Amino acid sequence: MEAPAHLAAFPGKGVAALLSRLPIGVAAALALAPSFLCAQGTPSVLELTHSARSAALGGAYPLADPLADVLFAAPGRIGDARGLSLFHADFGANGRGFTAAGAADWWGGGVAGGVQVLSYGVASEDPDALPPRESRLGDDGPVPVSEAVLSAGFGREVFDVDVGAALKLVEMRLGAVRASTVGVDVGAAHALGPVSVALSLQNLGGDLSFPGGSRSLPTKVALGLGTQRRPLGPLDLGAAGAVTRLVDGEVEAGAGVELSYWPINGRTFSGRAGYRHAVDEDLRGLTLGGGFAGDQIRIDYAWQSAGDGRGHHRFGLSWRP
């Protein structure tokens, strides 16, 4: 199925079409989002990629094929997510991340739940000692830090647009000090021919208050694109891209391609490569990865250089009925 001619000629009109169909509440939230982007964000667990597939695609989630972990990336696609997803990230030294998510049919749409956990070490219990960038999560420090997020979301189609929202409980422990707050994600998505488009507003909520000061959640607005896989000779080709406005108005962008080969029906091997333009200057732009899908099980891997000869490794395991 080819994209409509007017969308192929001017993709921006497709995005405008999605915006014109957004429910009033979501559209207003997206329009007001820049006013929230004004403070340093913490915790880091909310700024990381929690899918090995998206990590290999320059940080862009493959929206045309959502798994349960789409709960953390694009709430507008929750209604189409099913199954279970597990994820592990290795940042070096004490830096470790873990994610688990599940999604199922419910009430004419889809419901999803998940947990995100991140642990690392810092030099002191002063909140200013928290790492401002992803590349520093591998630094060793005597004070343990743990971050955890418990999320629950729901999504369904409304007036030909997929909409979704997720409520999250955020907790952070800095040495012996603990802080917690509540956050909300909202989003909308729509298929434009073979391309899925999603707009998301994430991490709206209160501050994490420590004795040495407070930290706001890393509010961000994201626009994502993902294509269905299309035949390319003996291979299938897919692509994904994303642009994200972060705290303080900073912008990140990433994109990647996926080539898949299935020598036997139900057995698919995939290779992925992407580029990520991150605010963190120590992160190198190139991202690489691959995966294997056998029947209902998928195994994925991603790698990105974090400078100083270090690399971040991510592993994913998922099941979709």
Side-chain angles (χ1 to χ4, degrees), residues 73-285:
R77 293 291 280 142
I78 292 175
D80 291 320
R82 302 291 183 269
L84 299 172
S85 296
L86 300 175
F87 172 82
H88 173 75
D90 182 355
F91 300 104
N94 294 327
R96 298 289 186 274
F98 176 77
T99 294
D105 295 311
W106 188 63
W107 202 33
V111 63
V115 59
Q116 302 160 272
V117 178
L118 176 66
S119 61
Y120 52 95
V122 294
S124 73
E125 292 190 1
D126 186 343
D128 290 336
L130 293 170
R133 302 297 184 210
E134 178 181 332
S135 61
R136 309 323 307 170
L137 293 175
D139 294 349
D140 198 6
V143 178
V145 179
S146 64
E147 304 175 356
V149 181
L150 182 64
S151 301
F154 174 75
R156 64 175 298 170
E157 184 176 302
V158 178
F159 300 119
D160 201 30
V161 174
D162 295 324
V163 297
L167 180 68
K168 56 183 65 175
L169 175 63
V170 183
E171 179 182 277
M172 187 169 186
R173 295 175 183 262
L174 175 57
V177 180
R178 171 185 169 184
S180 62
T181 189
V182 175
V184 176
D185 298 346
V186 295
H190 188 62
L192 304 170
V195 180
S196 295
V197 183
L199 278 168
S200 306
L201 174 58
Q202 296 180 277
N203 307 325
L204 288 173
D207 293 346
L208 291 162
S209 298
F210 297 97
S214 63
R215 287 292 185 271
S216 63
L217 298 183
T219 306
K220 56 186 177 182
V221 183
L223 170 65
L225 304 171
T227 68
Q228 299 174 1
R229 288 186 297 184
R230 305 300 295 268
L232 183 66
L235 305 176
D236 288 340
L237 173 66
V243 178
T244 303
R245 182 171 179 176
L246 307 171
V247 291
D248 297 326
E250 297 172 321
V251 176
E252 288 192 345
V257 296
E258 175 186 75
L259 287 172
S260 299
Y261 175 65
W262 43 284
I264 303 175
N265 189 30
R267 304 290 185 272
T268 303
F269 297 87
S270 299
R272 304 180 183 102
Y275 185 85
R276 178 185 175 193
H277 172 70
V279 174
D280 188 345
E281 296 180 353
D282 289 331
L283 287 176
R284 303 299 185 261

